[in-house]
Amino acid sequence: MSYLIALMIVFIGFLWQVSIDGIQRKVTAKVHRRVGPPWYQTFMDIFKALSKSSITHGFIYDFGVMMALGGTIATFMFLPFGNIVAFNGLDNFFVVVYLLAIGSLGMAMSASGSGNAWAGIGIMRALTQMVAYEVPFMIVVFGMIHVYGTSSLSELAHVQQMNGILGWHIFTMPLGAIVAFISLLGMLNKVPFDTPIAPTEIASGPMVEYGGKHFGMLMLQHEFATLVEVGLFVNLFLGGGNLIEYLIKYFFVYTLVTLIYAVSARFRIENVVTFFYGVPIVLSLVQAAIVIFTGLGVNV
Amino acid sequence: MNIFEEDLNDTITFWEKIKNIFRGKSLWMLHYCTGCGAVELPPTMTARYDMERLGMGPMATPRQADVLLITGYLSVKTLRRVIYTYEQMMTPKYVVGFGSCTLNGGIYYDSYAVINRLDYYIPVDLYLAGCMPRPEAIMNTFKTLENMITKGEANGWKKYVENYDWYRNNQIRSLGEVYVKDEFHE
C-alpha cells in the first residue's frame, strides 16, 4: 500500500512541479515585461526531449543518468508531501539528505563519463557549490534537531503547527530561515548561484554532452530535485500543513525564488564559496547558539 | 547512427503526429550564428519581440539544439565547423538559412572564400528573405517552421540521411577530406 501511495505522490508531484515551472516562466516574463510561453511549455520541452534520438558515450554515461533520476525520485518518496507520508517512520531528515546526494553524484559520474572538458569544469563547480551551501544549512537544521530530539520531518512540521502561524520556524527562528532560504537558492542552482550550469561561460556545464532522451531524463531529475529542496524548506520552516496548505506555501516559496532569479546576475564560483562562508555561516552559528543555549524560538 | 528507423518512414503514424506536435511547440536553437544576420537575433530574443512566446530559446550546445540558424554568408572555413555542428545535433533537426547569401552567395557571389549555395552541403528546411530580415520576419519564419514541423513537412534531416553520399561528395569537393580527431574514444 505504501508503494502505491509513493507512486501516487510521484505522479502528483510531477504534474504539480512541471506546471508550476511553466507558471514561473510566465512570472519571469512578466518581470521582464514580455509575454512569455504558455504554462504547459515545460511539459512540451520534456516530452519533446524524450521523443528525440540520443547517443551514448559508454555505459557509465547511461547508468549515471538513470542513477540520478532514480535516486532523486526515491528521495522524493521519503519526503512528507503535505500530510501524506508514503513510508511511515522513515521520513527522516538524514534519509533525505543522504539520498539527495545520490542524484548529484550520479550526474557527476555520468557527466565525467562523457569526457567533455566543459563537463569536468561544471562538475567541479557543482560539487564546490554543494560544499558551500550545505554547511550553513546543516548547522541551522542540526540545531533544530538537537533541541527537539527528533529528526523526523513530519514531526518537525507538526511541532510548528501548535501555536498557529506564529509558531512557524520562519517567525520563531528568523535568522535560520534567512540562511536556509539563501541555501535554497544555492541548492536550486538558480541565479545568482547558477555557476555550475552557466550556459554563456561553460556551455551548460555538466549538461554539455546530453541531448535527446538523456537530457529529458535530466530535466525530470531537476524537477524532482526542486520538489525535494523546496519541500524541505516548507516542512522545516513553514510548518508543512495539509496538502492544500503545503502546495500554497510551496508556490509562494518558489515564486519568491523566481523573483530573485529574474533580476539577478551570476556569481563567480569563488564568490559563491566566500559568500556562503561569510555572513550566512555566522548567522547560522548565532541561530544555533540561541536555539541550543537559551531555548528561544522553539516550543518543546 | 543515432536515428530511429521508424522516423525515416514517409507515412505518418498516430504517435508520429503526437511527437510532431511536441517537436513543433518546443524549438531550441543553437546559439551559434555565422554571419551578419545574427545581429537581428538579440532583439528577437529580448523583451520587445520575445521569442520565448513560441517556446524557443537559445541553447549553448549542439547536442540539445533542434534548429541550426545559418545567418548569412558562409566562408569555406566556417562551413567545415557548420558541418561538424550539424552532424552533432540530435535528430530530428532543422536548418534555417537567412538572407540571400545562403541562397546564391549574395554580394559574395564571386568570392573565392565564400560558398555560393548552402543547399549543396547541408539540407535547408526554410529560407528567410531579406538582407537583413526584420525581427518580425524572423518570428514569422519560426512560426512557419513550427507549422511545417507539426504537419511533418520539415524533412531536411531525412534527406540528409537518404542522400548522404551526394552531400558528402559536395562537402569533400569544397573542403577536401573532412577529418575529425576523437581522442577520447580511441
Side-chain angles (χ1 to χ4, degrees):
Chain A
M1 190 59 200
S2 54
Y3 293 98
L4 283 180
I5 296 175
L7 287 177
M8 193 189 72
I9 62 171
V10 165
F11 185 66
I12 296 175
F14 166 73
L15 291 180
W16 167 256
Q17 165 59 29
V18 180
S19 327
I20 287 294
D21 208 53
I23 293 171
Q24 299 306 332
R25 282 171 78 167
K26 259 320 210 204
V27 170
T28 317
K30 292 295 170 203
V31 175
H32 294 166
R33 294 196 178 176
R34 42 191 182 89
V35 181
W39 65 270
Y40 51 82
Q41 184 61 46
T42 314
F43 284 104
M44 292 288 179
D45 288 348
I46 288 176
F47 290 133
K48 182 219 56 178
L50 289 174
S51 87
K52 289 186 79 169
S53 66
S54 74
I55 58 160
T56 178
H57 290 285
F59 174 69
I60 291 294
Y61 180 80
D62 296 341
F63 178 73
V65 175
M66 283 187 279
M67 179 173 151
L69 179 60
T72 315
I73 290 180
T75 318
F76 177 58
M77 285 176 174
F78 285 102
L79 196 81
F81 191 63
N83 49 1
I84 306 171
V85 182
F87 301 104
N88 233 329
L90 285 175
D91 54 338
N92 204 304
F93 179 72
F94 295 104
V95 173
V96 171
V97 169
Y98 182 73
L99 282 176
L100 194 55
I102 289 183
S104 313
L105 292 180
M107 198 164 135
M109 192 175 86
S110 158
S112 38
S114 74
N116 195 312
W118 298 125
I121 296 173
I123 293 159
M124 184 273 288
R125 288 184 178 195
L127 296 181
T128 313
Q129 180 165 321
M130 217 167 137
V131 170
Y133 67 68
E134 290 272 328
V135 176
F137 185 65
M138 290 297 162
I139 290 172
V140 170
V141 179
F142 285 174
M144 203 192 286
I145 288 173
H146 176 82
V147 174
Y148 286 115
T150 175
S151 59
S152 160
L153 283 171
S154 50
E155 272 190 42
L156 283 176
H158 189 68
V159 290
Q160 297 173 52
Q161 295 162 13
M162 306 279 201
N163 298 343
I165 286 182
L166 287 177
W168 293 355
H169 284 158
I170 196 171
F171 297 116
T172 57
M173 21 175 114
L175 294 181
I178 292 169
V179 172
F181 187 75
I182 297 170
S183 299
L184 178 71
L185 289 178
M187 283 184 210
L188 291 175
N189 281 339
K190 290 277 192 190
V191 184
F193 301 111
D194 76 329
T195 337
I197 46 165
T200 45
E201 298 166 20
I202 52 171
S204 303
M207 317 284 227
V208 62
E209 278 291 325
Y210 295 100
K213 290 186 181 56
H214 291 80
F215 190 62
M217 282 160 80
L218 283 183
M219 284 170 78
L220 276 178
Q221 189 261 347
H222 180 73
E223 304 294 347
F224 279 106
T226 311
L227 270 170
V228 173
E229 284 149 0
V230 180
L232 262 182
F233 186 83
V234 171
N235 274 316
L236 286 173
F237 290 95
L238 292 176
N242 64 29
L243 190 58
I244 306 292
E245 286 170 10
Y246 180 84
L247 293 184
I248 292 171
K249 289 168 188 174
Y250 184 101
F251 180 78
F252 276 106
V253 173
Y254 199 37
T255 310
L256 191 56
V257 170
T258 311
L259 290 178
I260 293 172
Y261 149 76
V263 295
S264 324
R266 183 182 305 133
F267 272 134
R268 286 202 314 269
I269 185 66
E270 72 266 27
N271 294 139
V272 170
V273 178
T274 48
F275 175 79
F276 273 114
Y277 283 0
V279 176
I281 212 165
V282 173
L283 284 182
S284 67
L285 284 170
V286 169
Q287 179 67 69
I290 290 173
V291 165
I292 291 170
F293 294 120
T294 70
L296 280 175
V298 287
N299 40 353
V300 185
Chain B
M1 290 290 277
N2 54 330
I3 291 169
F4 300 134
E5 291 299 325
E6 67 263 29
D7 271 0
L8 288 173
N9 294 337
D10 282 337
T11 51
I12 299 176
T13 61
F14 175 69
W15 289 112
E16 194 70 16
K17 276 180 196 166
I18 291 179
K19 279 183 191 172
N20 281 337
I21 291 172
F22 289 134
R23 287 166 185 171
K25 290 282 180 195
S26 159
L27 284 172
W28 292 340
M29 56 172 203
L30 185 58
H31 214 207
Y32 165 75
C33 292
T34 45
C36 28
V39 292
E40 296 291 336
L41 282 171
T44 321
M45 273 189 271
T46 46
R48 184 160 177 195
Y49 292 99
D50 186 23
M51 186 188 275
E52 207 187 358
R53 267 187 299 177
L54 304 180
M56 297 194 69
M59 278 286 150
T61 127
R63 295 271 186 226
Q64 298 161 12
D66 306 306
V67 191
L68 178 60
L69 304 175
I70 308 294
T71 53
Y73 70 91
L74 263 186
S75 68
V76 178
K77 269 187 180 175
T78 321
L79 178 65
R80 187 184 293 257
R81 273 77 194 177
V82 163
I83 291 168
Y84 289 165
T85 310
Y86 181 70
E87 292 188 348
Q88 278 188 49
M89 286 162 68
M90 297 290 148
T91 58
K93 47 194 174 185
Y94 315 99
V95 180
V96 176
F98 277 46
S100 55
C101 293
T102 50
L103 263 177
N104 55 13
I107 57 169
Y108 304 100
Y109 181 76
D110 276 337
S111 168
Y112 62 93
V114 174
I115 60 156
N116 279 349
R117 223 183 124 173
L118 180 62
D119 228 353
Y120 286 150
Y121 308 98
I122 54 176
V124 181
D125 289 295
L126 205 56
Y127 284 109
L128 168 52
C131 181
M132 295 319 299
R134 297 268 310 149
E136 291 95 332
I138 297 176
M139 294 290 277
N140 192 20
T141 308
F142 289 148
K143 197 71 194 163
T144 314
L145 182 67
E146 197 181 305
N147 290 336
M148 277 171 70
I149 293 168
T150 313
K151 286 180 199 153
E153 291 167 0
N155 288 330
W157 62 278
K158 287 187 196 175
K159 268 195 285 178
Y160 191 69
V161 174
E162 281 157 7
N163 308 318
Y164 184 65
D165 292 336
W166 186 77
Y167 284 111
R168 181 81 185 166
N169 283 334
N170 288 341
Q171 289 165 10
I172 287 175
R173 199 172 58 228
S174 282
L175 299 175
E177 188 61 44
V178 178
Y179 174 63
V180 185
K181 184 164 165 35
D182 183 3
E183 289 169 347
F184 187 69
H185 289 110
E186 269 171 5

Short mmCIF file of all heavy atoms in Angstrom, two decimals, chain A residues 74-123:
data_model
loop_
_atom_site.label_atom_id
_atom_site.label_comp_id
_atom_site.label_asym_id
_atom_site.label_seq_id
_atom_site.Cartn_x
_atom_site.Cartn_y
_atom_site.Cartn_z
N ALA A 74 13.52 8.57 -5.67
CA ALA A 74 13.49 7.85 -4.40
C ALA A 74 13.53 8.83 -3.22
O ALA A 74 12.81 8.66 -2.23
CB ALA A 74 14.67 6.90 -4.31
N THR A 75 14.35 9.88 -3.34
CA THR A 75 14.39 10.88 -2.28
C THR A 75 13.04 11.51 -2.07
O THR A 75 12.59 11.71 -0.95
CB THR A 75 15.39 11.99 -2.64
OG1 THR A 75 16.54 11.40 -3.21
CG2 THR A 75 15.77 12.80 -1.45
N PHE A 76 12.38 11.82 -3.21
CA PHE A 76 11.09 12.50 -3.11
C PHE A 76 10.05 11.62 -2.43
O PHE A 76 9.16 12.11 -1.73
CB PHE A 76 10.63 12.91 -4.51
CG PHE A 76 9.29 13.55 -4.51
CD1 PHE A 76 9.07 14.69 -3.75
CD2 PHE A 76 8.24 13.04 -5.24
CE1 PHE A 76 7.84 15.29 -3.73
CE2 PHE A 76 7.02 13.62 -5.22
CZ PHE A 76 6.82 14.75 -4.46
N MET A 77 10.17 10.28 -2.61
CA MET A 77 9.20 9.38 -1.98
C MET A 77 9.29 9.43 -0.46
O MET A 77 8.30 9.14 0.22
CB MET A 77 9.44 7.95 -2.46
CG MET A 77 8.97 7.68 -3.85
SD MET A 77 9.43 6.03 -4.30
CE MET A 77 8.64 5.87 -5.87
N PHE A 78 10.46 9.75 0.09
CA PHE A 78 10.60 9.76 1.55
C PHE A 78 10.19 11.08 2.17
O PHE A 78 10.10 11.19 3.38
CB PHE A 78 12.05 9.44 1.94
CG PHE A 78 12.39 8.00 1.78
CD1 PHE A 78 13.13 7.57 0.70
CD2 PHE A 78 11.96 7.07 2.69
CE1 PHE A 78 13.42 6.24 0.54
CE2 PHE A 78 12.25 5.74 2.54
CZ PHE A 78 12.98 5.32 1.46
N LEU A 79 9.98 12.11 1.36
CA LEU A 79 9.65 13.43 1.89
C LEU A 79 8.16 13.50 2.19
O LEU A 79 7.36 13.03 1.39
CB LEU A 79 10.03 14.49 0.86
CG LEU A 79 10.11 15.92 1.35
CD1 LEU A 79 11.43 16.12 2.03
CD2 LEU A 79 9.98 16.87 0.19
N PRO A 80 7.76 14.06 3.34
CA PRO A 80 6.33 14.25 3.55
C PRO A 80 5.76 15.26 2.55
O PRO A 80 6.28 16.37 2.42
CB PRO A 80 6.22 14.79 4.98
CG PRO A 80 7.57 14.87 5.51
CD PRO A 80 8.55 14.49 4.49
N PHE A 81 4.73 14.83 1.82
CA PHE A 81 4.13 15.70 0.80
C PHE A 81 2.81 16.16 1.39
O PHE A 81 1.81 15.45 1.33
CB PHE A 81 3.94 14.88 -0.48
CG PHE A 81 3.58 15.70 -1.69
CD1 PHE A 81 4.45 16.64 -2.18
CD2 PHE A 81 2.38 15.50 -2.35
CE1 PHE A 81 4.13 17.38 -3.29
CE2 PHE A 81 2.06 16.23 -3.46
CZ PHE A 81 2.94 17.17 -3.93
N GLY A 82 2.78 17.37 1.97
CA GLY A 82 1.62 17.74 2.76
C GLY A 82 1.58 16.84 3.99
O GLY A 82 2.58 16.65 4.66
N ASN A 83 0.40 16.26 4.26
CA ASN A 83 0.35 15.31 5.36
C ASN A 83 0.42 13.87 4.87
O ASN A 83 0.20 12.94 5.64
CB ASN A 83 -0.91 15.52 6.21
CG ASN A 83 -2.13 15.61 5.33
OD1 ASN A 83 -2.02 15.50 4.11
ND2 ASN A 83 -3.29 15.80 5.93
N ILE A 84 0.71 13.68 3.58
CA ILE A 84 0.84 12.32 3.05
C ILE A 84 2.28 11.86 3.27
O ILE A 84 3.21 12.49 2.77
CB ILE A 84 0.51 12.28 1.56
CG1 ILE A 84 -0.85 12.89 1.30
CG2 ILE A 84 0.55 10.85 1.05
CD1 ILE A 84 -1.15 13.08 -0.16
N VAL A 85 2.47 10.80 4.03
CA VAL A 85 3.80 10.24 4.21
C VAL A 85 3.73 8.81 3.68
O VAL A 85 2.98 7.98 4.19
CB VAL A 85 4.21 10.23 5.69
CG1 VAL A 85 5.61 9.69 5.83
CG2 VAL A 85 4.14 11.63 6.24
N ALA A 86 4.51 8.55 2.63
CA ALA A 86 4.39 7.24 1.98
C ALA A 86 4.95 6.14 2.88
O ALA A 86 4.29 5.15 3.14
CB ALA A 86 5.12 7.26 0.65
N PHE A 87 6.16 6.31 3.38
CA PHE A 87 6.79 5.30 4.22
C PHE A 87 6.81 5.82 5.65
O PHE A 87 7.68 6.62 6.00
CB PHE A 87 8.19 4.97 3.72
CG PHE A 87 8.20 4.48 2.31
CD1 PHE A 87 8.62 5.30 1.28
CD2 PHE A 87 7.77 3.20 2.00
CE1 PHE A 87 8.61 4.86 -0.02
CE2 PHE A 87 7.77 2.75 0.71
CZ PHE A 87 8.18 3.58 -0.30
N ASN A 88 5.85 5.36 6.45
CA ASN A 88 5.69 5.94 7.78
C ASN A 88 6.90 5.63 8.66
O ASN A 88 7.39 4.52 8.69
CB ASN A 88 4.43 5.36 8.43
CG ASN A 88 3.53 6.47 8.89
OD1 ASN A 88 4.03 7.55 9.26
ND2 ASN A 88 2.23 6.25 8.85
N GLY A 89 7.39 6.65 9.38
CA GLY A 89 8.53 6.45 10.26
C GLY A 89 9.87 6.59 9.57
O GLY A 89 10.90 6.63 10.22
N LEU A 90 9.87 6.66 8.25
CA LEU A 90 11.14 6.80 7.53
C LEU A 90 11.32 8.19 6.93
O LEU A 90 12.25 8.42 6.18
CB LEU A 90 11.21 5.77 6.40
CG LEU A 90 11.48 4.34 6.83
CD1 LEU A 90 11.39 3.42 5.64
CD2 LEU A 90 12.84 4.23 7.47
N ASP A 91 10.40 9.13 7.24
CA ASP A 91 10.52 10.47 6.66
C ASP A 91 11.52 11.28 7.47
O ASP A 91 11.19 12.28 8.08
CB ASP A 91 9.15 11.15 6.61
CG ASP A 91 8.50 11.16 7.97
OD1 ASP A 91 8.88 10.32 8.80
OD2 ASP A 91 7.63 12.00 8.20
N ASN A 92 12.76 10.85 7.40
CA ASN A 92 13.80 11.38 8.26
C ASN A 92 14.63 12.39 7.51
O ASN A 92 14.86 12.24 6.31
CB ASN A 92 14.67 10.20 8.69
CG ASN A 92 15.38 10.48 9.97
OD1 ASN A 92 16.08 11.47 10.06
ND2 ASN A 92 15.16 9.64 10.95
N PHE A 93 15.09 13.43 8.19
CA PHE A 93 15.93 14.43 7.54
C PHE A 93 17.20 13.81 6.99
O PHE A 93 17.65 14.14 5.90
CB PHE A 93 16.26 15.54 8.55
CG PHE A 93 17.13 16.61 7.97
CD1 PHE A 93 16.63 17.51 7.06
CD2 PHE A 93 18.46 16.73 8.34
CE1 PHE A 93 17.43 18.50 6.53
CE2 PHE A 93 19.26 17.71 7.81
CZ PHE A 93 18.74 18.59 6.91
N PHE A 94 17.78 12.88 7.77
CA PHE A 94 19.05 12.30 7.34
C PHE A 94 18.86 11.42 6.11
O PHE A 94 19.72 11.38 5.23
CB PHE A 94 19.68 11.50 8.47
CG PHE A 94 20.07 12.36 9.63
CD1 PHE A 94 19.33 12.40 10.77
CD2 PHE A 94 21.17 13.19 9.52
CE1 PHE A 94 19.67 13.22 11.81
CE2 PHE A 94 21.52 14.01 10.56
CZ PHE A 94 20.78 14.03 11.71
N VAL A 95 17.72 10.72 6.03
CA VAL A 95 17.43 9.90 4.84
C VAL A 95 17.38 10.80 3.61
O VAL A 95 17.98 10.50 2.56
CB VAL A 95 16.10 9.15 5.03
CG1 VAL A 95 15.72 8.44 3.76
CG2 VAL A 95 16.20 8.16 6.16
N VAL A 96 16.67 11.94 3.74
CA VAL A 96 16.51 12.82 2.59
C VAL A 96 17.85 13.40 2.15
O VAL A 96 18.20 13.38 0.97
CB VAL A 96 15.51 13.94 2.94
CG1 VAL A 96 15.49 14.98 1.85
CG2 VAL A 96 14.14 13.37 3.12
N VAL A 97 18.65 13.87 3.14
CA VAL A 97 19.92 14.49 2.78
C VAL A 97 20.88 13.46 2.19
O VAL A 97 21.60 13.73 1.22
CB VAL A 97 20.53 15.19 4.00
CG1 VAL A 97 21.94 15.61 3.73
CG2 VAL A 97 19.71 16.38 4.35
N TYR A 98 20.83 12.24 2.76
CA TYR A 98 21.72 11.18 2.27
C TYR A 98 21.36 10.79 0.85
O TYR A 98 22.23 10.65 -0.01
CB TYR A 98 21.60 9.99 3.21
CG TYR A 98 22.48 8.83 2.87
CD1 TYR A 98 23.84 8.88 3.09
CD2 TYR A 98 21.95 7.68 2.33
CE1 TYR A 98 24.65 7.82 2.78
CE2 TYR A 98 22.74 6.61 2.01
CZ TYR A 98 24.10 6.69 2.24
OH TYR A 98 24.89 5.63 1.92
N LEU A 99 20.06 10.60 0.59
CA LEU A 99 19.65 10.16 -0.74
C LEU A 99 19.77 11.26 -1.78
O LEU A 99 20.00 10.99 -2.95
CB LEU A 99 18.20 9.66 -0.70
CG LEU A 99 17.98 8.28 -0.13
CD1 LEU A 99 16.50 7.99 -0.07
CD2 LEU A 99 18.66 7.25 -0.98
N LEU A 100 19.64 12.51 -1.35
CA LEU A 100 19.69 13.61 -2.31
C LEU A 100 21.07 13.69 -2.96
O LEU A 100 21.20 14.09 -4.12
CB LEU A 100 19.35 14.93 -1.60
CG LEU A 100 19.03 16.12 -2.49
CD1 LEU A 100 17.92 15.76 -3.43
CD2 LEU A 100 18.62 17.29 -1.65
N ALA A 101 22.11 13.28 -2.21
CA ALA A 101 23.46 13.32 -2.78
C ALA A 101 23.60 12.32 -3.92
O ALA A 101 24.42 12.54 -4.82
CB ALA A 101 24.47 13.02 -1.69
N ILE A 102 22.78 11.24 -3.91
CA ILE A 102 22.92 10.24 -4.98
C ILE A 102 22.62 10.86 -6.33
O ILE A 102 23.30 10.57 -7.31
CB ILE A 102 21.98 9.04 -4.69
CG1 ILE A 102 22.52 8.26 -3.51
CG2 ILE A 102 21.90 8.13 -5.91
CD1 ILE A 102 21.72 7.05 -3.20
N GLY A 103 21.60 11.74 -6.38
CA GLY A 103 21.29 12.41 -7.63
C GLY A 103 22.47 13.19 -8.16
O GLY A 103 22.88 13.04 -9.31
N SER A 104 23.07 14.02 -7.29
CA SER A 104 24.20 14.85 -7.73
C SER A 104 25.38 13.99 -8.12
O SER A 104 26.04 14.24 -9.14
CB SER A 104 24.62 15.79 -6.60
OG SER A 104 23.52 16.39 -6.04
N LEU A 105 25.64 12.93 -7.34
CA LEU A 105 26.81 12.11 -7.64
C LEU A 105 26.60 11.30 -8.92
O LEU A 105 27.54 11.14 -9.70
CB LEU A 105 27.11 11.17 -6.48
CG LEU A 105 27.59 11.90 -5.23
CD1 LEU A 105 27.86 10.92 -4.12
CD2 LEU A 105 28.84 12.69 -5.51
N GLY A 106 25.37 10.83 -9.15
CA GLY A 106 25.10 10.12 -10.39
C GLY A 106 25.33 11.01 -11.58
O GLY A 106 25.93 10.61 -12.58
N MET A 107 24.88 12.26 -11.46
CA MET A 107 25.07 13.18 -12.57
C MET A 107 26.55 13.50 -12.76
O MET A 107 27.04 13.58 -13.89
CB MET A 107 24.30 14.47 -12.31
CG MET A 107 24.09 15.24 -13.54
SD MET A 107 22.84 16.43 -13.26
CE MET A 107 23.62 17.79 -14.01
N ALA A 108 27.28 13.65 -11.65
CA ALA A 108 28.71 13.94 -11.75
C ALA A 108 29.43 12.78 -12.45
O ALA A 108 30.25 12.99 -13.35
CB ALA A 108 29.29 14.16 -10.36
N MET A 109 29.07 11.55 -12.06
CA MET A 109 29.70 10.37 -12.65
C MET A 109 29.42 10.30 -14.14
O MET A 109 30.32 10.11 -14.96
CB MET A 109 29.13 9.14 -11.95
CG MET A 109 29.82 7.87 -12.20
SD MET A 109 29.09 6.61 -11.18
CE MET A 109 27.76 6.10 -12.22
N SER A 110 28.14 10.50 -14.48
CA SER A 110 27.74 10.40 -15.87
C SER A 110 28.38 11.48 -16.72
O SER A 110 28.85 11.22 -17.83
CB SER A 110 26.23 10.50 -15.91
OG SER A 110 25.80 10.89 -17.14
N ALA A 111 28.44 12.71 -16.16
CA ALA A 111 28.99 13.81 -16.95
C ALA A 111 30.48 13.63 -17.16
O ALA A 111 31.01 13.92 -18.24
CB ALA A 111 28.71 15.14 -16.27
N SER A 112 31.19 13.10 -16.15
CA SER A 112 32.62 12.87 -16.39
C SER A 112 32.80 11.71 -17.35
O SER A 112 33.81 11.65 -18.05
CB SER A 112 33.37 12.63 -15.09
OG SER A 112 32.60 11.88 -14.22
N GLY A 113 31.80 10.79 -17.42
CA GLY A 113 31.87 9.73 -18.41
C GLY A 113 31.76 10.23 -19.83
O GLY A 113 32.19 9.56 -20.76
N SER A 114 31.17 11.43 -20.01
CA SER A 114 31.05 11.96 -21.35
C SER A 114 32.38 12.47 -21.89
O SER A 114 32.52 12.61 -23.10
CB SER A 114 30.02 13.08 -21.40
OG SER A 114 30.53 14.24 -20.81
N GLY A 115 33.33 12.75 -21.02
CA GLY A 115 34.66 13.10 -21.47
C GLY A 115 34.82 14.50 -22.00
O GLY A 115 35.84 14.83 -22.59
N ASN A 116 33.83 15.36 -21.80
CA ASN A 116 33.93 16.73 -22.29
C ASN A 116 34.59 17.60 -21.23
O ASN A 116 34.33 17.44 -20.03
CB ASN A 116 32.52 17.24 -22.60
CG ASN A 116 32.53 18.47 -23.44
OD1 ASN A 116 33.26 19.40 -23.14
ND2 ASN A 116 31.75 18.47 -24.48
N ALA A 117 35.44 18.52 -21.67
CA ALA A 117 36.17 19.35 -20.70
C ALA A 117 35.25 20.29 -19.98
O ALA A 117 35.40 20.53 -18.78
CB ALA A 117 37.26 20.13 -21.42
N TRP A 118 34.23 20.83 -20.70
CA TRP A 118 33.29 21.74 -20.02
C TRP A 118 32.55 21.01 -18.91
O TRP A 118 32.25 21.56 -17.87
CB TRP A 118 32.27 22.30 -21.00
CG TRP A 118 32.84 23.12 -22.09
CD1 TRP A 118 32.65 22.92 -23.42
CD2 TRP A 118 33.68 24.26 -21.99
NE1 TRP A 118 33.32 23.86 -24.14
CE2 TRP A 118 33.96 24.69 -23.29
CE3 TRP A 118 34.25 24.94 -20.92
CZ2 TRP A 118 34.76 25.78 -23.56
CZ3 TRP A 118 35.05 26.03 -21.19
CH2 TRP A 118 35.29 26.43 -22.49
N ALA A 119 32.23 19.71 -19.18
CA ALA A 119 31.52 18.93 -18.18
C ALA A 119 32.36 18.81 -16.91
O ALA A 119 31.85 18.93 -15.80
CB ALA A 119 31.16 17.56 -18.73
N GLY A 120 33.66 18.58 -17.09
CA GLY A 120 34.54 18.48 -15.91
C GLY A 120 34.54 19.75 -15.10
O GLY A 120 34.42 19.72 -13.86
N ILE A 121 34.64 20.90 -15.79
CA ILE A 121 34.63 22.18 -15.07
C ILE A 121 33.28 22.36 -14.35
O ILE A 121 33.22 22.79 -13.20
CB ILE A 121 34.89 23.34 -16.04
CG1 ILE A 121 36.29 23.21 -16.62
CG2 ILE A 121 34.75 24.66 -15.33
CD1 ILE A 121 36.58 24.21 -17.70
N GLY A 122 32.20 22.00 -15.05
CA GLY A 122 30.88 22.15 -14.44
C GLY A 122 30.72 21.31 -13.20
O GLY A 122 30.16 21.77 -12.20
N ILE A 123 31.20 20.05 -13.24
CA ILE A 123 31.07 19.19 -12.06
C ILE A 123 31.89 19.74 -10.92
O ILE A 123 31.44 19.76 -9.77
CB ILE A 123 31.56 17.78 -12.40
CG1 ILE A 123 30.64 17.15 -13.39
CG2 ILE A 123 31.62 16.92 -11.17
CD1 ILE A 123 31.31 16.04 -14.10
#
